[in-house]
Amino acid sequence: MMDNVSQIRMFFLSGLNETNNHRFILFFLTLMCYCVILLVNITVIVTIIMDNNLHEPMYILLCTFCMNALYGTSGFYPKFLWDLLSPVHVISYSGCLGQAQVIYSFALSELSILSVMAYDRYVAICRPLEYHSVMSKQRLILLVCYSWMTPFCVMGINVFLASRLKLCSPYIARLFCLNWIIVKLACFPAETTLNAVVAYITIVIYVFHGFFIVCSYMYLIKTCVNSIENRAKFMQTCVPHLTSLLIFLVTILFDVLNIRFGSNDLPQTLQNFVAIEFLVIPPLLNPLIYGFKLTKIRNRILGVNTLKTK
């Protein structure tokens, strides 16, 4: 078994090698971006927790969404900020595996939570009389646990399989650690077959999540067309979900294409931007979209009193 364990104890990240002249500017821009991400997500989370009128499935799922953003970005920004001020960009072997686990379980959870949100909106609009019985407290807890624990375990299997490989290079040409990049460093490509199979199974599972979301909203649109009340409900509560889904899919698609088919001919700066899009745009824009679009949250954040009694 010891032969299968990597002797590499440190990885060198080379994604920042071409930005030596702009380190401090990048540091302050990144710090500002991370602070805004923390501010907007924490604001939405605290708003939902503090207001009993927002203790409904839709808002609790939104709270989960924002918590997941804080979890995922914590796996990237602190280390990246440190690297911007450091002359050598290294990460320990275990730290690299941990970073891969956090960042990509965050991405998978994002899709899982969007799937649960789509299901919640389907029940609310298409089966309104059954909504409270279907989306009971117990079921909501199960759905939240599913959206967090399943991606964490699925990604954990991928990372565990990568940890069993003997690696022949400590150099990662990225800003942060990725599971598939670690697998590509294996000394014996034949030993990565199981990793590839599990990775493709993971992709298929979450592609089905995407299809489920798309089919749900297609059915919702069809249902809402002939009802003014349902159209209003769709525009108010579903449009933010669709916007979040579109942002997430576009950013993650760019990253997947870059990992699988990326060319070394592309400038390093462009590769870096594509690589971190899903860690910048969704965590930053999603709370703003929901905060502005959902009336209850907007009114609560702005301090506007609502007439609804607790």
Side-chain angles (χ1 to χ4, degrees), residues 77-133:
Y77 283 95
K79 177 66 172 71
F80 182 58
L81 287 167
W82 177 265
D83 284 343
L84 285 170
L85 298 179
S86 302
V88 180
H89 312 127
V90 297
I91 187 170
S92 67
Y93 179 80
S94 58
C96 190
L97 293 177
Q99 188 177 58
Q101 169 72 20
V102 170
I103 290 177
Y104 276 90
S105 62
F106 147 73
L108 298 183
S109 290
E110 197 93 340
L111 200 51
S112 293
I113 296 168
L114 285 168
S115 300
V116 175
M117 285 178 160
Y119 175 71
D120 172 74
R121 290 300 85 203
Y122 159 75
V123 177
I125 294 175
C126 299
R127 300 163 62 186
L129 299 179
E130 305 172 46
Y131 181 72
H132 291 292
S133 59

Side-chain angles (χ1 to χ4, degrees), residues 40-101:
V40 293
N41 282 280
I42 291 173
T43 298
V44 171
I45 291 169
V46 172
T47 299
I48 292 171
I49 291 174
M50 297 297 291
D51 191 341
N52 289 339
N53 290 328
L54 299 177
H55 292 180
E56 301 172 10
M58 180 177 73
Y59 298 105
I60 292 172
L61 291 173
L62 174 56
C63 187
T64 303
F65 203 41
C66 292
M67 287 179 178
N68 188 54
L70 295 180
Y71 162 72
T73 53
S74 70
F76 170 70
Y77 283 95
K79 177 66 172 71
F80 182 58
L81 287 167
W82 177 265
D83 284 343
L84 285 170
L85 298 179
S86 302
V88 180
H89 312 127
V90 297
I91 187 170
S92 67
Y93 179 80
S94 58
C96 190
L97 293 177
Q99 188 177 58
Q101 169 72 20

Side-chain angles (χ1 to χ4, degrees), residues 188-206:
F188 309 106
E191 293 183 353
T192 66
T193 302
L194 182 58
N195 298 74
V197 169
V198 173
Y200 281 117
I201 290 173
T202 302
I203 291 170
V204 169
I205 290 171
Y206 286 92

Side-chain angles (χ1 to χ4, degrees), residues 84-274:
L84 285 170
L85 298 179
S86 302
V88 180
H89 312 127
V90 297
I91 187 170
S92 67
Y93 179 80
S94 58
C96 190
L97 293 177
Q99 188 177 58
Q101 169 72 20
V102 170
I103 290 177
Y104 276 90
S105 62
F106 147 73
L108 298 183
S109 290
E110 197 93 340
L111 200 51
S112 293
I113 296 168
L114 285 168
S115 300
V116 175
M117 285 178 160
Y119 175 71
D120 172 74
R121 290 300 85 203
Y122 159 75
V123 177
I125 294 175
C126 299
R127 300 163 62 186
L129 299 179
E130 305 172 46
Y131 181 72
H132 291 292
S133 59
V134 173
M135 293 299 292
S136 62
K137 182 178 179 180
Q138 292 77 13
R139 179 164 294 180
L140 182 61
I141 292 171
L142 286 175
L143 289 172
V144 169
C145 289
Y146 161 78
S147 64
W148 267 343
M149 296 307 298
T150 303
F152 189 85
C153 293
V154 168
M155 199 60 220
I157 294 170
N158 282 272
V159 170
F160 170 73
L161 291 175
S163 71
R164 297 171 66 249
L165 299 171
K166 182 176 179 60
L167 307 181
C168 285
S169 173
Y171 297 100
I172 295 177
R174 303 280 290 204
L175 296 174
F176 56 91
C177 291
L178 300 176
N179 188 65
W180 190 248
I181 297 296
I182 297 171
V183 172
K184 287 167 70 174
L185 298 176
C187 298
F188 309 106
E191 293 183 353
T192 66
T193 302
L194 182 58
N195 298 74
V197 169
V198 173
Y200 281 117
I201 290 173
T202 302
I203 291 170
V204 169
I205 290 171
Y206 286 92
V207 165
F208 274 113
H209 279 63
F211 277 124
F212 170 78
I213 298 170
V214 171
C215 290
S216 297
Y217 283 117
M218 287 178 64
Y219 187 80
L220 280 171
I221 292 170
K222 181 180 177 182
T223 303
C224 294
V225 167
N226 298 320
S227 169
I228 296 176
E229 181 182 350
N230 282 343
R231 280 205 301 270
K233 190 181 292 186
F234 180 88
M235 293 300 295
Q236 175 68 22
T237 63
C238 295
V239 169
H241 299 168
L242 283 172
T243 307
S244 296
L245 175 64
L246 182 62
I247 291 170
F248 173 77
L249 290 180
V250 169
T251 54
I252 206 70
L253 180 62
F254 272 112
D255 188 56
V256 170
L257 291 175
N258 186 45
I259 294 170
R260 296 286 175 169
F261 311 108
S263 171
N264 292 328
D265 296 331
L266 292 175
Q268 184 68 53
T269 303
L270 180 58
Q271 291 186 49
N272 289 343
F273 177 73
V274 171

